[in-house]
Amino acid sequence: MSECPADLKYTSSHEWIRVDGDEATIGITAHAQSQLGDLVFVELPLLGDEVLSGKEVAVVESVKTAADVYTPLTGQVIAINESLTATPEAVNEDPYGEGWLFKVKMQNPSELDDTMTADAYADQNSD
Amino acid sequence: MLKHTPLYDQHVAAHGKLVDFAGWEMPIHYGSQMQEHHAVRQAAGMFDVSHMGVCDISGPDATAFLRYVLANDVARLKSFGRAIYTCMLNDEGGIIDDLIVYAISSTQFRIVLNASRRDVDLAWLSEQAVNFDVSVLEQPTYAIIAVQGPQAIKSFVSLLEDNAQQAQVTALKPFQFVTVDDLQVARTGYTGEDGLEIILPASQAPVIWQQLCDAGVKPCGLGARDTLRLEAGLNLYGVDMDETTTPDVANLAWTVSLHDPQRHFIGKQAVLAQREVGVPQTMVGLVMAARGVLRNHQAVYSHGQPVGEITSGSFSPTLSMAIAFVRLPADFQGELSIERRGGFQPVQRVTLPFVRQGQSKFKPVSVEGVSDE
């Protein structure tokens, strides 16, 4: 049973969002990294990319499989976690902290209304 | 309802991530398959492989029987207390299973079967044994623990209190085995590292497992087992070969013994006939220098045209690059690439193994018309 930090928002495609003003940090959840297994490669968007909510912007690849990561928010990519090139396992070891993927300057903060709370995300995953 | 090995409780206690493997609930890892892989290359790791079948072949015709049903020749073993790796073929030369045979005496052998092929193998062996004075008896009350890595043998020997037993195990040459109390201890493995495979009564498995843990041996799951064996250039039944493939197209021609022309074995004629006509395919190693992981069944291209297919594809934790086996037309020489995210990525054909005893071993196979980068 993975823990979902209560201060974050979540998507049904297993991304988490940490909001700070009009900036959002995005990563994948503990549940997602557990399903994928040890990551060996992370492909991130480019700094400055304009991204559209719902579009695939990153790829996380494990020994088992590759998975697309979607941005829940429209805006510009203002930061990417370049340390993941050398240490992709940070996503497995600290998915909500050191394993963050990229930051978006939000163009439409109202898109956050479509995201889930920690409880709703946990409910979605319990089976 | 999935089956459990005698070590199931140990896997649960060690937080193993349990998955369905051939109808058995087995740990794919205990936290990190990468760390488990590195532990085997650098120190010692252990695998519960009790889901594999153990079958004893005994009787006056045991040797003759195995010389008939197996493509390798047990009569070539220099002495007893030795194991041999072989394929078991059908009449068309297709591989029913690959297995290890332990020669205990001329009338007593033990074979270890792949979990996914247990039932098929036992049915086949029983059927073929009809005209031989031999018994084919499954041994369901054994567990199997594989202890692998440069520290593996030392760690196991530290568990033995008897100096004579310690000396016996320490003296084992590769592919030799010895019986220590109720344990059959063989210097064999599936990882490309030194180590032991121990067949033991199920009742003793939890204690031995715990003792090995206490001695510093790391429990490792099936995920690490797969990346280790692929690095070592070792085949996996059902992925690299099956009943439709002969040994020659699966990099296993070396396991077919024609040394004794008088020996008839099942599949011999078909294998020879294929060699006569020309073996159509070969299976070779592949590495990809660019970022990414190679995957089972991935198509391999040359100049934009599909020419082959990856059988086993994965990532090598030791080499930090993608590695695979690929089946190609027998005399194929051209440059190779795979499709990735809408474009083509070059891949390099290499000799096997990729890794042996922790060291990178592969060499590029040079290709006509392509200059070295």
Side-chain angles (χ1 to χ4, degrees), chain A residues 8 19 21-22 44 46 74 82 85 97 109:
Chain A
L8 304 181
V19 179
D22 65 349
L44 297 170
L46 296 172
T74 302
E82 289 172 354
T85 306

Side-chain angles (χ1 to χ4, degrees), chain B residues 146-159:
Chain B
V147 190
Q148 301 280 303
Q151 304 300 323
I153 297 180
K154 205 192 303 184
S155 300
F156 175 74
V157 166
S158 74
L159 270 42

Side-chain angles (χ1 to χ4, degrees), chain B residues 180-227:
Chain B
V180 166
D181 295 328
D182 302 315
L183 278 54
Q184 181 192 287
V185 180
R187 194 171 173 189
T188 54
Y190 191 49
T191 61
E193 296 300 316
D194 202 358
L196 303 168
E197 292 182 310
I198 303 161
I199 301 178
L200 70 168
S203 57
Q204 293 187 31
V207 171
I208 300 291
W209 183 269
Q210 189 56 52
Q211 288 179 342
L212 286 164
C213 256
D214 295 341
V217 181
K218 192 174 172 68
C220 299
L222 296 178
R225 188 166 165 82
D226 192 49
T227 49

Side-chain angles (χ1 to χ4, degrees), chain A:
Chain A
M1 182 63 164
S2 314
E3 293 165 19
C4 311
D7 60 318
L8 304 181
K9 299 201 171 301
Y10 298 84
T11 69
S12 57
S13 48
H14 309 290
E15 290 92 15
W16 57 262
I17 309 155
R18 179 175 284 116
V19 179
D20 184 7
D22 65 349
E23 291 179 6
T25 305
I26 292 150
I28 64 168
T29 62
H31 174 89
Q33 68 77 25
S34 167
Q35 295 296 103
L36 290 165
D38 287 338
L39 294 192
V40 298
F41 293 114
V42 176
E43 277 179 34
L44 297 170
L46 296 172
L47 267 181
D49 272 359
E50 295 290 342
V51 296
L52 208 55
S53 166
K55 293 290 186 217
E56 169 252 301
V57 295
V59 181
V60 287
E61 194 158 18
S62 72
V63 177
K64 241 171 62 171
T65 189
D68 292 328
V69 180
Y70 302 89
T71 175
L73 301 161
T74 302
Q76 190 182 58
V77 175
I78 54 170
I80 57 175
N81 188 351
E82 289 172 354
S83 71
L84 296 180
T85 306
T87 54
E89 62 271 19
V91 177
N92 297 109
E93 288 162 9
D94 188 11
Y96 301 110
E98 295 294 315
W100 67 276
L101 296 177
F102 59 94
K103 285 189 190 173
V104 170
K105 192 172 175 73
M106 291 187 281
Q107 196 179 297
N108 307 326
S110 62
E111 287 169 339
L112 289 168
D113 298 343
D114 297 328
T115 61
M116 289 189 249
T117 62
D119 286 343
Y121 177 70
D123 281 346
Q124 177 199 265
N125 291 330
S126 57
D127 41 42

